Amino acid sequence: MLKNLFSFLNHWRKNNPHLRGFTRKIYHSDYFQNSMAVQWLCRKTMKNTMALGLRFPTLFSIEVTNICNAACVMCPRESLTRPTGIMSNDIFKKIIDEIAEIGSEVIAITGLGEPLIDKDLETKIKYAKQRNIRIVQLFTNAALLDEERTEKLIKAGLDNIIISTDAADKETYEKIRLNLPFEKVERNIKNFIRIRNALKVEKPKIKLNMTVFGENVHQRTYFHRKYKDYVDGIHFSYARQWGEDKSTFSKSDTVVNRYMSKTRVYPCPLLWLHFNVFWDGSVPLCCMDFDCTHPLGQINTMSIKNIWHGNKLNSVRDQHNMGKSNENKLCKDCMYYISWFSASVAAKKKEFVV
């Protein structure tokens, strides 16, 4: 009974932007975070999740390309120095084979480019499903999501598609997502839903993500109200400074700048949870290391297991465990925030937060 009540209240909170914002403020308040009960529970959750994550990563992000058709104002691509390209099928298969061998179940096709630029994307997704990857998620801006690609993605077995749609009207959208036409993207989303329903399949589930910052924060409620009835989910994330690049932070006028002024109290959960691979097989420290300035290894010559248990990653984990994360240049000013409670849920369910 209590569990059902909690599920109901949580569902109500998620679907009410004002209530979600209110509970977020309470959760991040010093009074709540510094309470003895919360700190005890956090440390217990952290210990259990660390033990689970040390065996093997729970979540995998695969960048099939870092080439993009957009120039979003909150994206750090303009600071990118690493080469651009598209992941070969051989590298992708090697990654998937290793993931399948150890029994991990969730991958996200994402990164610093637009995945639909990869003409072999559907082949890659189909291979992942053939290797029994339970959930394959695709993050896209949907500008290239025409009817032909829609049918191919559905038939390939894609489970979830998360569309980055950062505004509910043309004027705001095209200020944020430069080079992308709002009407086309919105039409592609509607066509995707129509085609999926016509094929009488439940998947892919379609979710919209709004990256909230100064340009669009006023549209949160309108965005939710406009789209909630015809997509399977809506998620609000927050613009942030990426890695050591502060230009995107100041440019984005992020809503969550309060994290910049606080010392990290707990180790970052991503070091025990999340494994990232770029298009050329290089492995960055984390998802915030967009230019791979802190490489952990190369998939072409190393196994995922060796990288995950390697000295480079373990030394950063030790820094965080000892409260010395500021000694790492990438971590020093990082403002990406995920709680150990959210990390625990993601690890147990083997699902991304989005």
Side-chain angles (χ1 to χ4, degrees):
M1 177 68 74
L2 190 60
K3 185 177 181 181
N4 291 337
L5 177 61
F6 177 80
S7 297
F8 170 77
L9 292 173
N10 193 43
H11 177 76
W12 182 44
R13 184 191 70 85
K14 285 184 176 180
N15 287 280
N16 187 315
H18 295 295
L19 183 60
R20 187 168 55 245
F22 177 69
T23 55
R24 184 185 293 272
K25 287 181 180 179
I26 293 176
Y27 178 79
H28 292 302
S29 67
D30 290 337
Y31 178 80
F32 184 85
Q33 290 292 328
N34 293 332
S35 67
M36 291 182 63
V38 169
Q39 291 195 25
W40 174 83
L41 185 59
C42 184
R43 287 189 172 89
K44 182 179 180 181
T45 303
M46 181 176 69
K47 181 179 179 181
N48 294 339
T49 308
M50 279 182 175
L52 183 65
L54 276 176
R55 293 198 293 270
F56 212 75
T58 303
L59 311 173
F60 290 84
S61 288
I62 303 173
E63 177 191 78
V64 294
T65 183
N66 61 348
I67 303 169
C68 196
N69 57 338
C72 302
V73 298
M74 64 288 196
C75 180
R77 290 196 80 260
E78 65 183 36
S79 303
L80 195 68
T81 63
R82 60 186 174 95
T84 57
I86 296 174
M87 180 177 283
S88 70
N89 288 339
D90 288 341
I91 292 179
F92 186 85
K93 287 181 178 179
K94 183 179 186 296
I95 296 167
I96 295 300
D97 288 344
E98 288 193 50
I99 294 173
E101 183 180 341
I102 53 86
S104 288
E105 301 176 346
V106 186
I107 67 166
I109 297 174
T110 182
L112 216 62
E114 170 48 50
L116 291 175
I117 288 175
D118 180 6
K119 300 301 183 183
D120 286 332
L121 178 62
E122 292 83 3
T123 301
K124 290 180 170 78
I125 292 171
K126 187 176 182 180
Y127 184 78
K129 295 306 296 183
Q130 288 172 344
R131 291 307 315 265
N132 296 319
I133 303 300
R134 182 172 61 91
I135 296 178
V136 179
Q137 295 193 152
L138 172 67
F139 288 75
T140 174
N141 59 43
L144 301 176
L145 191 64
D146 57 27
E147 294 188 11
E148 181 182 357
R149 293 305 293 272
T150 291
E151 288 196 26
K152 287 182 177 179
L153 288 170
I154 293 172
K155 292 176 180 178
L158 182 67
D159 296 289
N160 297 324
I161 183 167
I162 294 91
I163 300 177
S164 300
T165 315
D166 298 319
D169 63 54
K170 177 181 173 66
E171 182 181 2
T172 307
Y173 180 90
E174 293 183 359
K175 281 183 180 178
I176 297 170
R177 294 194 162 264
L178 308 182
N179 303 336
L180 300 184
F182 176 74
E183 294 93 341
K184 182 180 180 181
V185 169
E186 198 168 61
R187 183 172 63 250
N188 287 347
I189 294 171
K190 292 177 180 178
N191 284 338
F192 189 97
I193 297 169
R194 176 181 57 79
I195 293 170
R196 183 194 64 180
N197 293 344
L199 292 172
K200 297 181 178 180
V201 293
E202 294 184 357
K203 293 182 177 181
K205 297 294 185 183
I206 181 168
K207 304 178 183 181
L208 302 186
N209 180 72
M210 179 181 185
T211 302
V212 180
F213 62 108
E215 292 285 349
N216 63 5
V217 65
H218 64 284
Q219 287 206 338
R220 278 189 55 156
T221 302
Y222 176 43
F223 184 91
H224 187 271
R225 186 170 62 245
K226 179 177 181 179
Y227 295 116
K228 67 182 178 66
D229 291 331
Y230 72 91
V231 296
D232 299 303
I234 291 176
H235 179 75
F236 296 98
S237 57
Y238 291 89
R240 58 183 68 93
Q241 153 260 326
W242 287 79
E244 297 169 48
D245 177 21
K246 297 180 178 60
S247 62
T248 53
F249 168 68
S250 57
K251 182 169 58 180
S252 296
D253 187 26
T254 177
V255 182
V256 290
N257 57 22
R258 60 185 175 276
Y259 298 126
M260 291 295 291
S261 62
K262 290 187 177 182
T263 303
R264 187 182 294 278
V265 179
Y266 301 107
C268 177
L270 296 179
L271 300 174
W272 285 265
L273 186 72
H274 196 184
F275 193 92
N276 301 266
V277 187
F278 288 150
W279 72 269
D280 60 353
S282 57
V283 178
L285 175 60
C286 67
C287 59
M288 299 302 289
D289 187 13
F290 72 91
D291 210 21
C292 208
T293 57
H294 295 67
L296 298 178
Q298 235 306 334
I299 286 295
N300 294 317
T301 57
M302 302 173 68
S303 70
I304 292 174
K305 188 175 291 187
N306 287 341
I307 295 172
W308 189 246
H309 296 288
N311 291 333
K312 287 185 177 181
L313 184 52
N314 280 334
S315 66
V316 179
R317 288 178 180 139
D318 289 342
Q319 282 181 325
H320 277 245
N321 276 328
M322 293 186 293
K324 298 180 179 180
S325 61
N326 283 352
E327 294 180 4
N328 184 292
K329 290 182 180 180
L330 186 67
C331 303
K332 183 178 180 181
D333 294 321
C334 179
M335 51 169 288
Y336 185 89
Y337 182 81
I338 175 174
S339 72
W340 277 100
F341 300 119
S342 296
S344 175
V345 171
K348 289 175 182 177
K349 289 187 175 182
K350 297 185 177 180
E351 293 180 1
F352 280 83
V353 176
V354 175

